[in-house]
Amino acid sequence: MNQAEQKKLDLLITGVGGQGAILASDIIGKAAVTAGLPIRAAETHGMAQRGGSVVNHIRVGNDYGSMIPKKGADLLLALEPMEAVRYLDLLKDGGVIIVNTQPIIPVAVTSGLTKYPEVSDILDFLSQKYIVKAFNADDVAFEAGNRFAMNVVMVGAVSIYLPISKEILLESVKALVPQKTIEVNLRAFEMGRQKVEES
Amino acid sequence: MTMREYMLGNVAIARGLLEGGVQVLAGYPGTPSSEIIDTLAAREDRDYHVEWSVNEKVAMEVVVGAAWAGVRSVVTMKHVGLNVAADPFMTLAYAGTKGGLIAIVADDPSCHSSQNEQDTRRYAQFALVPCFDPSTPQEAKDMLPYAFEFSERFEVPVIFRPTTRISHGKSDIELGEIPVEKPAPNFEKLLDRWVMLPKNARPRHTHLLSIQQPIEDALAESPWNSLELKPDAKLGVIGAGIASVYAKEALVELGLEVSFLKIGAYPVPRKLILELLKNVDAVLVFEELEPIVEEQVKMIAQEAGLEVSVLGKTNGFVPREGELDVSAFLEVLKKTFDLDTEPEPSGTSLELAPRPPALCAGCSHRATFYSMKKVFGKDAIYPSDIGCYTLGIQSGTVETTLCMGSSISVASGLYHAGEKRPICCSIGDSTFFHSGMNSLLNAIVNKANITVTILDNRITAMTGHQPNPGVGYTATGEPTVQVSLAELCKAMGAEFVSVVDPYRLEETQEAFKAAKEFEGPAVVISRQPCVISGKRAGIRRVPYVVEPEKCEGCKQCVKFGCPAIEFNEENKCAAITTLCSGCGVCAQICKFEAIQEVKR
């Protein structure tokens, strides 16, 4: 594998509209540019955003299109457990899944039209074919100082797999989160990173 | 040193327009095109005019005026917007331009946020104008200064057609220079061009046809169309726009040697296609949506008497609907070489709950629909329109959605067909200003006995909160007149106009009852700012909480469908989450007074 190959990484970020998947992918995208790597990303905007299921494709070291082919993703970062399962056909066999175990219950489930699977069943299912790193990122964000920093916790968690240095990623966090929340977010990043390093 | 920035495709397009020296921009919001004008309107050092127009036709005509004054102008819209703007556009192709004019029309293969997936390249073909079809956000940015020059060189409008994956893709972008000098406007009174009387239109049509070949020749030499011939390759691949990048990635991955023609500008480069056809036995055409390149390739092969098989959409190798990707290209290759397709692994799967997009917690549309349904009942007919509120399909109050402004006219048609059931339609404020006004005028004059509900959330919400004529400020945030929907409806002859606050259920239901009783078209304007833009503007309400000892577990509040309301099956009790925006509607629905404001 040459150096260019090593810098190539296809990452999916899945979740629910409003969880901050776009900011998470922006942090990585901006950092990739600083690191001098080509980067492509595809996002969910518009109608599908309103509380619906969202998927972002992020391709570091890639100069073709922004869409990850089937079974092409190296990594899946799921901001919500059920949304980890929905896009599995894009992840390569044996790929890594980092999943936030805090569910968001869709309205159709609340009103009794359909069921939400047990989170433990989801994790068992994922573990059959993939390497799974699971923790409650909402709780970690709360500990870091704000539940809304969950997306940055997850960026921290995925950071050890990225071909981009931690310093550059942290600069990118600083540049993209609201000024007042920089400290909380840097803490959130570190705590997320630690969660995966420990596991 | 070159500057590189991480950008959204539409931001890169906005940058390309700046680098091309744009002077006038107009458009109507529509996914995936909206962020182009949003970006340019938000810039502080503007030396151009930028506006959100009331609809695409109007926007098109505004930029026509600018281009006839000799300045560089751009109109933006989504694909279906060009249907609205087609009237001026088709004839503009005859009249032509002075200043460069680019119509940016964003296509949405797979209907991510649209009612159809029409292909704008067909319009370009239809109107006989050049079309640019970028394959990456970087190319999109780089094409735009070229497109301005091209438009000026041939004095024709050009279409620039990004797709969702260009507009809403992100990429590292290498920036260029922004020019400082721009021409001053000078409208020349060229009546034989600007007055499309039959005697002028006929020669202009002839002229337009006469420049087709020079246009094609110039584009064949452009950087956007390029041919790579591999001496020993028997297979040729033609990739158009973004599909060319998908094909290229798959070919590089597989290490497959083929001759490759990339098409990024139309009319298609006949010269390059012929050269490719002469060198291969088969050509595979990979393009999104319509088989436009494919049809041309077949015609060219036939005219030249070449026996080359052309594989594409018309013979089932490439799907005609939906967006393409690398995997789709690999599928096509398997079919081409008759390879076995791997059976999908049948392993256990997990039953997932669907998660469709939903109206926000506290969205006033949900409240309006709740009252509407209460008063009009299950039997009534509910035509609706295009906006966030189309998601009201989950409330049972959206039963038709066709195109912008159609709710009122479809409702009228239902009534005139002799439907005896009550008809209550809904339309957003921006959609009403866009084209619903005409439909209401028509309903009033032709005496349709319907109720028209204007869901006035004081913004164009779905596309990212752009202003409309009702809000009192322009695209750049400058104060302007605030058009009153109620006065407008009255001026058009509406005799029943009632303005209500949808958060007050009783008041809203009284208005709907009166509207239902009224003989003739009745207008109910349901006014409450969008919760997202309201929050940004500083509206704060006290959130609500369920008092568990009072909750009877009847689920009436849960059935309202607000994402902030959950139900705990263990203690048979509803609960309100932190998503609550404090609209208070659920508290009015609860019969047991179990929902109360949070006490501070």
Side-chain angles (χ1 to χ4, degrees):
Chain A
M1 200 189 271
N2 62 28
Q3 215 187 343
E5 282 291 306
Q6 285 170 16
K7 297 268 183 187
K8 258 182 142 177
L9 185 110
D10 283 354
L11 163 71
L12 286 167
I13 302 182
T14 67
V16 178
Q19 278 191 306
I22 291 186
L23 179 64
S25 72
D26 279 354
I27 291 169
I28 298 167
K30 190 176 167 61
V33 177
T34 311
L37 297 169
I39 170 102
R40 300 287 180 268
E43 295 173 349
T44 312
H45 283 230
M47 182 185 238
Q49 247 182 318
R50 304 265 180 264
S53 162
V54 298
V55 56
N56 290 357
H57 299 231
I58 300 157
R59 312 190 74 186
V60 184
N62 180 301
D63 38 23
Y64 294 105
S66 57
M67 306 280 288
I68 298 172
K70 269 184 199 146
K71 290 199 176 198
D74 303 286
L75 269 171
L76 167 63
L77 187 66
L79 308 187
E80 202 275 348
M82 192 167 67
E83 299 311 318
V85 186
R86 211 181 295 276
Y87 303 96
L88 279 180
D89 59 338
L90 291 169
L91 185 63
K92 54 173 65 146
D93 295 343
V96 175
I97 303 175
I98 302 172
V99 54
N100 175 14
T101 54
Q102 177 66 48
I104 296 178
I105 310 295
V107 175
V109 173
T110 312
S111 48
L113 296 172
T114 170
K115 284 207 161 35
Y116 190 101
E118 290 294 329
V119 172
S120 57
D121 289 348
I122 293 178
L123 297 180
D124 287 346
F125 175 75
L126 296 174
S127 304
Q128 286 169 14
K129 266 165 72 181
Y130 309 97
I131 300 159
V132 178
K133 315 269 176 189
F135 64 96
N136 189 312
D138 282 49
D139 288 350
V140 175
F142 184 70
E143 229 181 288
N146 192 334
R147 273 191 181 276
F148 292 112
M150 181 278 287
N151 52 352
V152 177
V153 170
M154 293 299 277
V155 174
V158 79
S159 65
I160 64 162
Y161 296 98
L162 300 175
I164 303 168
S165 75
K166 183 179 147 187
E167 291 64 39
I168 291 180
L169 284 162
L170 285 172
E171 281 309 308
S172 185
V173 171
K174 276 191 215 163
L176 290 172
V177 301
Q179 192 71 31
K180 278 188 277 181
T181 67
I182 289 181
E183 247 175 79
V184 171
N185 278 297
L186 293 180
R187 206 155 45 228
F189 182 98
E190 292 288 359
M191 289 169 75
R193 186 169 170 108
Q194 222 168 23
K195 275 279 169 193
V196 173
E197 273 172 345
E198 283 167 5
S199 66
Chain B
M1 208 188 97
T2 53
M3 281 278 292
R4 292 187 90 80
E5 260 182 51
Y6 184 59
M7 282 183 170
L8 181 71
N10 276 343
V11 177
I13 288 171
R15 173 76 194 195
L17 295 174
L18 289 175
E19 292 177 9
V22 66
Q23 286 164 283
V24 172
L25 285 121
Y28 186 80
T31 312
S33 71
S34 314
E35 298 85 355
I36 302 166
I37 284 187
D38 283 342
T39 302
L40 292 170
R43 274 178 72 95
E44 275 167 19
D45 50 340
R46 292 185 310 272
D47 58 351
Y48 46 83
H49 169 81
V50 55
E51 69 172 47
W52 285 120
S53 309
V54 299
N55 66 34
E56 295 87 351
K57 175 181 185 291
V58 169
M60 179 74 77
E61 290 154 358
V62 168
V63 303
V64 168
W68 286 355
V71 308
R72 290 188 168 181
S73 60
V74 170
V75 60
T76 75
M77 63 194 72
K78 68 186 291 171
H79 57 326
V80 286
L82 188 53
N83 300 332
V84 179
D87 194 2
F89 191 71
M90 294 302 292
T91 305
L92 174 66
Y94 284 22
T97 66
K98 276 287 172 193
L101 188 153
I102 306 174
I104 300 184
V105 186
D107 283 359
D108 189 18
S110 282
C111 303
H112 292 285
S113 202
S114 303
Q115 65 270 41
N116 78 18
E117 48 179 359
Q118 67 188 49
D119 188 332
T120 296
R121 297 175 304 159
R122 278 276 187 238
Y123 260 113
Q125 218 176 16
F126 186 21
L128 296 166
V129 302
C131 177
F132 295 91
D133 187 15
S135 62
T136 64
Q138 177 76 55
E139 192 181 50
K141 183 197 75 73
D142 296 341
M143 267 179 173
L144 288 159
Y146 180 97
F148 272 130
E149 280 167 30
F150 200 84
S151 169
E152 281 166 6
R153 176 172 161 200
F154 289 97
E155 298 198 338
V156 284
V158 302
I159 287 180
F160 176 86
R161 174 251 194 182
T163 57
T164 304
R165 298 301 177 183
I166 298 291
S167 284
H168 288 165
K170 280 186 178 155
S171 170
D172 52 314
I173 300 288
E174 195 178 318
L175 306 182
E177 296 290 323
I178 297 175
V180 188
E181 293 288 316
K182 292 180 178 181
N186 177 23
F187 176 71
E188 281 181 75
K189 299 189 176 185
L190 308 173
L191 302 194
D192 56 343
R193 288 190 55 192
W194 312 145
V195 184
M196 277 295 113
L197 283 168
K199 83 168 171 67
N200 292 336
R202 285 183 209 109
R204 288 306 296 178
H205 190 193
T206 309
H207 168 77
L208 181 60
L209 290 166
S210 76
I211 60 173
Q212 294 300 304
Q213 193 60 49
I215 285 174
E216 185 195 309
D217 293 342
L219 290 175
E221 303 296 325
S222 76
W224 325 117
N225 295 323
S226 59
L227 175 64
E228 280 171 67
L229 279 182
K230 291 273 158 64
D232 299 322
K234 292 285 158 237
L235 178 68
V237 172
I238 302 180
I242 196 164
S244 68
V245 180
Y246 300 143
K248 203 75 203 204
E249 179 175 348
L251 291 167
V252 169
E253 196 73 15
L254 294 170
L256 211 60
E257 287 277 296
V258 301
S259 290
F260 194 87
L261 172 59
K262 184 224 162 214
I263 293 184
Y266 309 78
V268 296
R270 197 172 284 258
K271 226 167 29 185
L272 303 183
I273 290 172
L274 252 179
E275 204 178 333
L276 175 69
L277 289 172
K278 282 179 187 158
N279 283 284
V280 295
D281 299 334
V283 166
L284 200 161
V285 186
F286 199 60
E287 60 190 318
E288 277 183 332
L289 302 178
E290 291 294 284
I292 287 168
V293 173
E294 183 183 337
E295 287 164 359
Q296 297 294 312
V297 170
K298 282 185 171 163
M299 270 159 51
I300 293 165
Q302 200 197 19
E303 278 172 21
L306 293 167
E307 301 252 337
V308 178
S309 22
V310 180
L311 315 177
K313 292 167 191 280
T314 49
N315 39 25
F317 284 86
V318 183
R320 185 155 170 174
E321 67 278 40
E323 63 181 358
L324 301 173
D325 56 17
V326 176
S327 307
F329 187 76
L330 293 171
E331 284 301 310
V332 178
L333 281 185
K334 280 179 192 159
K335 276 188 203 168
T336 308
F337 295 111
D338 224 1
L339 301 176
D340 288 338
T341 40
E342 279 174 56
E344 282 296 305
S346 56
T348 50
S349 67
L350 205 61
E351 193 83 18
L352 297 185
R355 197 189 298 274
L359 295 170
C360 301
C363 175
S364 63
H365 298 331
R366 183 183 289 105
T368 306
F369 286 142
Y370 178 85
S371 292
M372 187 188 282
K373 193 80 187 262
K374 269 262 173 251
V375 172
F376 283 85
K378 253 198 232 148
D379 278 347
I381 304 174
Y382 298 101
S384 191
D385 228 294
I386 303 218
C388 286
Y389 49 89
T390 316
L391 298 171
I393 191 163
Q394 290 152 3
S395 309
T397 44
V398 171
E399 296 178 332
T400 76
T401 295
L402 183 64
C403 64
M404 292 287 287
S406 65
S407 54
I408 305 172
S409 9
V410 167
S412 305
L414 285 160
Y415 170 75
H416 292 306
E419 264 297 345
K420 294 287 178 272
R421 287 174 279 181
I423 299 165
C424 179
C425 65
S426 52
I427 181 167
D429 47 343
S430 194
T431 308
F432 183 78
F433 287 118
H434 175 281
S435 49
M437 282 167 56
N438 307 33
S439 302
L440 180 64
L441 181 62
N442 184 69
I444 291 167
V445 171
N446 291 302
K447 302 182 177 182
N449 188 12
I450 57 173
T451 297
V452 174
T453 311
I454 304 179
L455 301 161
D456 182 13
N457 67 350
R458 324 292 303 139
I459 205 76
T460 313
M462 175 64 92
T463 48
H465 302 92
Q466 292 81 7
N468 66 49
V471 304
Y473 56 89
T474 67
T476 56
E478 222 180 291
T480 185
V481 290
Q482 191 168 356
V483 178
S484 157
L485 282 169
E487 295 306 316
L488 186 61
C489 294
K490 285 179 197 160
M492 289 195 291
E495 286 167 3
F496 181 107
V497 178
S498 178
V499 182
V500 297
D501 174 357
Y503 286 171
R504 297 178 183 195
L505 296 183
E506 211 183 299
E507 167 191 325
T508 308
Q509 287 168 23
E510 284 309 314
F512 274 130
K513 277 179 202 159
K516 193 180 170 193
E517 295 300 310
F518 185 80
E519 265 304 312
V523 179
V524 175
I525 300 170
S526 188
R527 175 170 301 158
Q528 188 58 249
C530 163
V531 279
I532 298 175
S533 54
K535 197 174 165 193
R536 285 183 196 150
I539 298 178
R540 293 285 179 277
R541 290 188 170 88
V542 183
Y544 282 73
V545 65
V546 178
E547 294 180 2
E549 62 281 2
K550 288 189 187 165
C551 178
E552 297 281 330
C554 72
K555 287 195 173 180
Q556 285 306 309
C557 58
V558 173
K559 283 183 189 143
F560 178 53
C562 175
I565 305 176
E566 288 182 351
F567 193 77
N568 187 332
E569 288 293 344
E570 275 154 35
N571 62 10
K572 297 284 170 209
C573 186
I576 293 176
T577 70
T578 51
L579 289 175
C580 179
S581 67
C583 74
V585 172
C586 58
Q588 296 167 59
I589 291 171
C590 180
K591 294 193 179 89
F592 308 101
E593 295 184 356
I595 302 177
Q596 301 288 339
E597 281 188 356
V598 170
K599 292 192 180 68
R600 304 249 163 172

